[in-house]
Amino acid sequence: MPAPMLVAVDEDAGGLGDVERELRDRYERHYRIVCTRSSHDARARLEQLAAEGEEVALVLAGPQLDGRSGSELLDEVRHLHPHARRALLIAWGDWGDRATGEAIFDAIAHGRIDHYVIRPSAAPDEVFHQTISGLLLEWAEALRALPYTIHVVGESWSGRAFELREVLGRCAIPHNFCLADSNHGRALVAEAGDGLKLPLVVFPDGTVLADPSDADIASAAGSPVNLERMEFDLVIVGAGPAGLSAAVYGASEGFSTLVVDEGGLGGQATYSSLIRNYLGFPRGVSGRRLAQRAHEQAWFFGAHFVFMQRVTGLQHERDGLSVTFSEGGRVRTRAALLATGATYRRLGIPALEALNGAGVYYGGPTSEAPTVAGQDVYVLGGANSAGQAALYLAQYARRVTLVVRARSLHAGMSHYLVRQVEATPKLDVRLGTEIVGGGGDGWLEHLVLRDRADGSEETVDADGLFLMIGARPNTDWLPPEVERDDRGFVLTGTDLGDDRDGALPRSPFLLETSMPRVFAAGDARHGSVKRVASAVGEGSVAIQLLHRLFAADGLHPSGRPHEAAAAIPR
Ligand SMILES: Cc1cc2nc3c(=O)[nH]c(=O)nc-3n(C[C@H](O)[C@H](O)[C@H](O)COP(=O)(O)OP(=O)(O)OC[C@H]3O[C@@H](n4cnc5c(N)ncnc54)[C@H](O)[C@@H]3O)c2cc1C
């Protein structure tokens, strides 16, 4: 395979020379580099590469080129090379100029560029390289070309192969899917050895699992499972942003900490292709990346993790709590944090439920987006998550239609996203509309839309449907002692009211539930703000409250898990 291309085009000869020097110095071994001052040359070269099926990883363009703007050229690149990252080259300090700042925001809002890059200064300019390598990482993610990628080989897109892709996706593990009768699939099956039951999961170290269970994947991915006789200061149920934040703060502040998740890392955040409003990430960050980093950080501080084990019970026991797992084990802890988040509501149309994974998807499109290139897809939902999904899909699909029950986008979406949605040419919005039917032969082919005002129905061709229609809290499994509101969200602190039966000899702490020593944080909590930053904030606050709880009970963080005096009786 020829090496992927890095293309830079800038009228400014000096600036282009600096860019070329830096690109060649660092990337020439693995990429082919083309630098030109002419946008016509660049355009012709990019067209030729597209016609020859060659991969372009990155295109950098100066602000003005042969009388047109660099963002216009970058907008054209999107259609020629949908996976390529596209950034505008600007001079240092340009972002301080209001007009330039507005133009950049506008170009990003319209999807014409992915971001901006400040032209390099004297070599070595590590800030420039950090930006370039970040863009190349995004390109590799979009192309599913990350190192240590797990391959799933299945007979069809749906069924168990789809479930496995979902499990790996929820664990924020880079993975790739191919059909067993594709060239790549045949090669992987031959390498694994004939006669193995599909689907196959092939790990980067060569381990092959034939038709594995979720638990098989967890142990092959290195998750510790034998926790009998262990005792922790804190067990966190859920490894979404709230749980991961509590794990980082808890473990770093001396609490022996165990995090258990029925899926894997990152919770709902892994469905978010680009979180742009999280503090400290001006270019945005994918939920998956954020979760991977938080996991590494918590692990570094000594937190323990168990994936693909559902917590099914929680009870008081002697001077602590015991937490029961779906696989039958139990672990003892002094305190627990419920960070179980929420799950999507289902559409409830049998013909569409049957196509789950075969054109119909619950949640964000991060893993499926590259497969919808050139197709017509629909997104159902009116909240921020639906807006983000539609924008992300618009980078790949021929046309995206956002179907919204409300009569205005502003009813459920942040203003900045409404602006982006309205400004994106390939994105249509159908307000006051619902999906009432649909189907297809093995893959989604059509949908039935109903106008909520006059009841008229229309059947439309559709290759993909992404459902983002709200969520319910993952709290059904909790014991009755944990009080919840009428929608199932966990009540904490002052929301518990005063007329309680005295389970606690003191007032509950701010995030403490009606079950003493059990805290709740993030989306599962009544009254929580459904955002990554607030879930992270609540996770850290929970640890401060844990300090106060330990102080009130005369306890000290134990630093590392210790052996329980006796195994917990089953
Ligand atoms: C597509 C999408 C885009 C979004 N975009 C943004 C954005 O741009 N900005 C923003 O701020 N927010 C965004 N959000 C919202 C944000 O992701 C959530 O608010 C946040 O993830 C909530 O974190 P959490 O830790 O409370 O719960 P979750 O992220 O829901 O995590 C809960 C975890 O608990 C686990 N769990 C549940 N029950 C059990 C059990 N019984 N046993 C073991 N484990 C269990 C689940 O498997 C899950 O991993 C988006 C959400 C979605 C879906």
Side-chain angles (χ1 to χ4, degrees):
M1 285 281 284
M5 308 284 301
L6 309 185
V7 179
V9 48
D10 197 344
E11 271 187 349
D12 177 332
L16 185 66
D18 292 341
V19 170
E20 180 160 11
R21 179 198 68 225
E22 292 297 314
L23 292 182
R24 290 202 186 282
D25 274 3
R26 293 282 171 106
Y27 306 101
E28 200 156 43
R29 230 177 123 200
H30 302 292
Y31 298 89
R32 286 172 294 158
I33 293 159
V34 172
C35 296
T36 170
R37 289 178 61 195
S38 154
S39 91
H40 295 296
D41 283 358
R43 164 88 208 198
R45 189 72 187 263
L46 288 161
E47 273 175 7
Q48 187 192 350
L49 291 167
E52 291 166 357
E54 299 232 17
E55 194 58 47
V56 174
L58 175 66
V59 182
L60 304 173
Q64 289 304 322
L65 306 166
D66 308 334
R68 67 199 300 232
S69 75
S71 20
E72 276 173 67
L73 173 71
L74 293 174
D75 191 26
E76 291 163 9
V77 173
R78 180 162 50 134
H79 306 291
L80 294 169
H81 298 279
H83 294 124
R85 297 288 97 186
R86 298 156 296 125
L88 205 60
L89 281 164
I90 62 168
W92 183 85
D94 269 1
W95 67 86
D97 172 56
R98 195 163 177 73
T100 309
E102 279 286 314
I104 291 174
F105 183 87
D106 204 48
I108 293 174
H110 285 74
R112 289 196 293 270
I113 67 172
D114 293 310
H115 233 285
Y116 63 88
V117 176
I118 298 167
R119 287 193 184 109
S121 66
D125 182 339
E126 300 303 343
V127 174
F128 175 79
H129 287 297
Q130 189 185 28
T131 311
I132 299 296
S133 61
L135 289 163
L136 291 176
L137 180 57
E138 284 172 20
W139 161 77
E141 271 182 348
L143 204 67
R144 321 234 119 206
L146 288 178
Y148 309 117
T149 292
I150 291 174
H151 297 282
V152 179
V153 189
E155 277 163 317
S156 77
W157 283 89
S158 54
R160 182 66 187 146
F162 174 65
E163 285 169 16
L164 289 173
R165 273 150 56 209
E166 276 210 319
V167 166
L168 291 165
R170 293 187 63 184
C171 290
I173 296 176
H175 63 281
N176 213 329
F177 173 76
C178 58
L179 289 169
D181 63 3
S182 66
N183 286 344
H184 191 205
R186 272 192 292 274
L188 286 167
V189 169
E191 215 170 295
D194 285 336
L196 293 176
K197 187 170 178 209
L198 294 174
L200 294 183
V201 178
V202 184
F203 284 77
D205 64 358
T207 307
V208 177
L209 300 179
D211 191 22
S213 67
D214 295 355
D216 291 338
I217 291 188
S219 58
S223 174
V225 281
N226 190 2
L227 294 161
E228 287 293 309
R229 301 186 69 97
M230 301 277 261
E231 185 167 332
F232 289 84
D233 291 335
L234 174 65
V235 169
I236 298 168
V237 190
L244 287 169
S245 156
V248 168
Y249 283 93
S252 68
E253 292 178 24
F255 294 103
S256 56
T257 301
L258 173 70
V259 187
V260 188
D261 199 293
E262 65 174 316
L265 270 183
Q268 296 169 73
T270 52
Y271 296 121
S272 184
S273 42
L274 193 66
I275 301 170
R276 286 193 44 207
N277 56 358
Y278 191 65
L279 186 73
F281 290 88
R283 291 178 170 82
V285 58
S286 77
R288 185 181 304 263
R289 183 99 45 78
L290 193 66
Q292 283 165 339
R293 286 178 175 215
H295 172 237
E296 191 180 335
Q297 201 174 3
W299 175 84
F300 180 77
F301 284 123
H304 296 249
F305 285 83
V306 172
F307 294 132
M308 291 176 225
Q309 289 252 16
R310 185 173 156 72
V311 170
T312 51
L314 181 65
Q315 61 234 35
H316 273 292
E317 184 179 280
R318 281 188 269 145
D319 55 349
L321 299 158
S322 83
V323 176
T324 314
F325 301 140
S326 49
E327 303 289 313
R330 278 209 249 174
V331 71
R332 195 175 280 166
T333 180
R334 289 159 149 183
L337 174 69
L338 308 173
T340 52
T343 301
Y344 294 101
R345 290 184 202 287
R346 312 295 292 199
L347 193 56
I349 298 171
L352 292 178
E353 295 291 345
L355 294 173
N356 194 14
V360 177
Y361 308 97
Y362 282 91
T366 1
S367 47
E368 308 302 330
T371 66
V372 306
Q375 300 184 343
D376 288 338
V377 300
Y378 286 72
V379 177
L380 179 64
N384 277 2
S385 51
Q388 284 181 349
L391 287 167
Y392 187 61
L393 287 164
Q395 293 178 31
Y396 297 91
R398 180 172 57 192
R399 183 141 294 281
V400 179
T401 307
L402 181 61
V403 180
V404 184
R405 281 170 61 89
R407 297 227 58 90
S408 159
L409 272 185
H410 288 279
M413 211 175 278
S414 300
H415 177 68
Y416 85 94
L417 274 176
V418 175
R419 257 181 84 185
Q420 271 181 276
V421 166
E422 288 175 347
T424 302
K426 283 197 297 181
L427 208 172
D428 295 330
V429 180
R430 294 202 42 166
L431 296 169
T433 305
E434 56 196 1
I435 293 175
V436 292
D441 185 11
W443 190 274
L444 179 71
E445 288 167 5
H446 69 274
L447 291 170
V448 184
L449 308 181
R450 179 189 289 155
D451 185 308
R452 298 185 75 219
D454 61 16
S456 61
E457 292 187 1
E458 183 189 354
T459 299
V460 292
D461 291 340
D463 305 300
L465 171 64
F466 294 83
L467 297 152
M468 325 274 308
I469 48 177
R472 60 175 175 71
N474 298 317
T475 55
D476 299 349
W477 60 278
L478 287 169
E481 294 101 291
V482 179
E483 289 178 29
R484 278 150 278 173
D485 68 13
D486 52 4
R487 292 193 299 147
F489 290 93
V490 177
L491 295 166
T492 51
T494 50
D495 288 330
L496 286 163
D498 296 329
D499 55 338
R500 308 189 48 255
D501 61 7
L504 272 176
R506 53 176 169 76
S507 299
F509 293 110
L510 187 65
L511 298 180
E512 196 175 16
T513 70
S514 52
M515 191 168 179
R517 295 184 174 211
V518 177
F519 295 86
D523 281 13
R525 197 180 68 79
H526 168 87
S528 63
V529 177
K530 307 294 184 276
R531 288 283 183 275
V532 172
S534 21
V536 166
E538 288 190 9
S540 77
V541 170
I543 300 306
Q544 287 313 306
L545 300 171
L546 189 63
H547 278 295
R548 285 168 58 186
L549 175 84
F550 268 45
D553 290 355
L555 300 171
H556 299 284
S558 58
R560 59 177 60 183
H562 48 276
E563 285 236 333
I568 300 174
R570 285 173 187 261

